[in-house]
């Protein structure tokens, strides 16, 4: 379920005293076989791109205290206690990736031919000032720009993440859009996707060849 990370390089990301304070800079610099350990509970505001890399090892974007979350193949519960005084609930353990763009840009979006990214133990959401959001994680491209199989980004895992909207929104359309190949959403909690006048979905997709695994998640839309 979780890749063998022996020999992977750990890159720390956080506001103070880390290898990087800028998450996009850390992603851009990471080579396959890297773990980006984001400070537990820290907030990273913006819309972040996942660029193409060369190689078949993973870039894992995760919490510095993922050890406090349930083990692989166990669904998270954001409100569940951890037994840790500094991070009392599972949600507290998670770095927060928050999009603040009023045009509805996602938290994460792949660039052409991106591959081998794993998001693990993250909270992914949208600022409450943004009332129209069209999706939080875009894996692949639903447009005519991605019109052959070899253009589809591939190999993505969303593992034990809390991906959610907020109640103030008019359009809170989607959690994860799977327009890619070889991808999975597992053991995660996706909630609060809703809209006036539009269909909504925790997980959707229209232009991805798959295969996909969607297993053991809480899904609400």
């Amino acid at each position: 379920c979780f890749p063998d990370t022996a020999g992977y390089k750990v890159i720390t990301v956080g506001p103070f005293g880390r290898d990087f304070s800028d998450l996009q800079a850390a992603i851009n610099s990471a080579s396959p076989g890297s773990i980006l350990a984001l400070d537990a509970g820290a907030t990273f505001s913006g819309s972040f791109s996942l660029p193409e890399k060369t190689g078949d090892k993973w870039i894992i974007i995760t919490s510095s205290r993922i050890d406090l979350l349930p083990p692989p193949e166990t669904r998270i519960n954001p409100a569940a206690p951890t037994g840790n005084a500094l991070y009392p609930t599972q949600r507290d353990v998670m770095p927060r990736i928050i999009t603040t763009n009023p045009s509805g840009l996602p938290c994460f979006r792949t660039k052409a031919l991106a591959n081998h990214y794993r998001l693990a133990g993250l909270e992914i959401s949208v600022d409450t000032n943004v009332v129209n959001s069209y999706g939080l994680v875009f894996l692949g491209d639903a447009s005519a720009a991605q019109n052959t199989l070899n253009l589809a980004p591939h190999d993505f895992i969303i593992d034990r993440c809390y991906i959610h909207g907020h109640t103030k929104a008019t359009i809170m359309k989607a959690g994860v859009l799977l327009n890619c190949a070889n991808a999975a959403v597992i053991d995660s909690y996706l909630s609060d996707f809703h809209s006036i006048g539009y269909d909504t979905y925790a997980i959707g997709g229209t232009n991805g060849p798959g295969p996909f695994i969607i297993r053991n998640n809480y899904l609400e839309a």
Side-chain angles (χ1 to χ4, degrees), residues 61-101:
I61 304 174
T62 188
S63 170
S64 63
R65 293 305 311 270
I66 197 169
D67 59 295
L68 295 175
L69 292 179
E73 300 186 86
T74 308
R75 185 196 299 169
I76 59 145
N77 178 348
T82 63
N84 183 281
L86 288 177
Y87 308 102
T89 70
Q90 291 181 18
R91 183 180 186 181
D92 295 320
V93 173
M94 299 177 184
R96 291 183 290 275
I97 315 298
I98 306 295
T99 179
T100 59
N101 189 286

Side-chain angles (χ1 to χ4, degrees), residues 87-134:
Y87 308 102
T89 70
Q90 291 181 18
R91 183 180 186 181
D92 295 320
V93 173
M94 299 177 184
R96 291 183 290 275
I97 315 298
I98 306 295
T99 179
T100 59
N101 189 286
S103 299
L105 293 179
C107 293
F108 288 109
R109 185 169 198 160
T110 54
K111 291 189 175 181
L113 301 178
N115 63 89
H116 286 90
Y117 285 91
R118 189 181 190 109
L119 310 179
L122 306 178
E123 179 179 357
I124 298 171
S125 190
V126 58
D127 189 89
T128 55
N129 291 322
V130 178
V131 296
N132 295 324
S133 171
Y134 302 98

Side-chain angles (χ1 to χ4, degrees), residues 192-211:
D192 214 347
F193 296 100
H194 51 88
S195 179
I196 298 172
Y198 296 89
D199 59 335
T200 65
Y201 24 87
I203 301 171
T206 56
N207 193 33

